[in-house]
Amino acid sequence: MIKNTILVMSGKGGVGKTTVAVNLAAWLVSSGTTTGLLDVDIHGPNVPLMAGVSTARLQVENEKITPVVLESGLRVMSIAFLLENADSSIIWRGPMKHNVIKQFVEDVAWGDLDYLVIDFPPGTGDECISAAQLIPSGRSAVIVSSPQQVSLLDCRKSIDFCRQFQIPVIGLIENMSGELFGEGSVAALAAAQGVPFLGSLSMDRSITLAGDSGEPFVLGTSPAATRFQDIATRISLYCEEKK
């Protein structure tokens, strides 16, 4: 049984969606919950690298796929675990992507989970539609955007996607906030769209280094970790309150 499913989305690529998904899952596990992390970004499966398990491979037991389990207890599933070469491209059309996502949802031995965090690909295409259709209940979304107008334009499309599929939006996160890209525009968009604003993360090299080394920054003591812990707390409180 999966109690809560959190879809981590972004309209535009490169805004930190996978960073948010991996660190949210890591924080939930560190808080004492049973958590799974599902990577449905078929063409750019970066979760294993950021979670520190890029060399892991999957096992099958009793006709079920066993997710990779980290020392923390986090259960991880990604198409990357099935690739012999990490540099290999996956050139699939919609039906094949739908089938593999269906397997990840239905044929993986997740066990009982308090949370399943799903790292979506950017945009509103095949993978997003399949995951939204295959997980019809107990789902809600977190949408990540950077402050630039081009990102906000695509963020609006993600909000509209959630509304069309009747997926509650927990809130928006502004990533890469600061002097380079600006700040405050995601909070303004959230207010205009009538959805909560969860918080912001500034440009911080320590976040990049943590992702490249497979060590979630949220488990540290940096100012960025503290800010993200506050965001993750708001997300978990939302899930508790909606029960």
Side-chain angles (χ1 to χ4, degrees), residues 2 5 20 27 39 48 56 59 67 97 102 124 141 150 158 168 175 177 204 208 214 217-218 224 233 238:
I2 299 173
T5 302
V20 168
W27 183 86
D39 184 357
Q59 304 293 325
K97 291 186 282 188
K102 189 172 189 292
T124 57
V150 67
S158 291
N175 193 29
S177 180
D204 191 326
T208 302
F217 75 89
V218 70
T233 298
Y238 170 92

Side-chain angles (χ1 to χ4, degrees), residues 55-60 65-69 76-82 104 108:
T55 61
R57 290 296 177 263
L58 298 176
Q59 304 293 325
V60 177
I65 303 169
T66 303
V68 172
V69 182
V76 182
M77 181 67 204
S78 172
I79 191 70
F81 295 140
L82 301 173
F104 287 172
V108 172

Side-chain angles (χ1 to χ4, degrees), residues 40-53:
V40 296
D41 192 344
I42 302 299
H43 298 290
N46 298 319
V47 162
L49 173 64
M50 290 191 177
V53 287

Side-chain angles (χ1 to χ4, degrees), residues 24 27 31 228-239:
L24 174 59
W27 183 86
S31 300
F228 193 84
Q229 289 162 9
D230 290 341
I231 291 170
T233 298
R234 292 189 182 101
I235 294 171
S236 65
L237 285 174
Y238 170 92
C239 293

Side-chain angles (χ1 to χ4, degrees), residues 145-207:
S145 178
S146 53
Q148 310 100 303
Q149 289 301 314
V150 67
S151 297
L152 298 177
L153 175 63
D154 292 340
C155 184
R156 292 186 185 94
K157 294 171 183 173
S158 291
I159 295 171
D160 181 66
F161 176 94
C162 289
R163 286 172 174 161
Q164 290 198 44
F165 278 91
Q166 298 182 331
I167 300 170
V169 177
I170 300 174
L172 307 187
I173 296 173
E174 180 173 274
N175 193 29
M176 306 181 190
S177 180
E179 184 178 351
L180 185 60
F181 295 134
E183 58 184 325
S185 56
V186 177
L189 174 62
Q193 292 284 328
V195 298
F197 178 65
L198 296 172
S200 63
L201 293 170
S202 60
M203 294 286 288
D204 191 326
R205 181 165 171 73
S206 67
I207 296 176

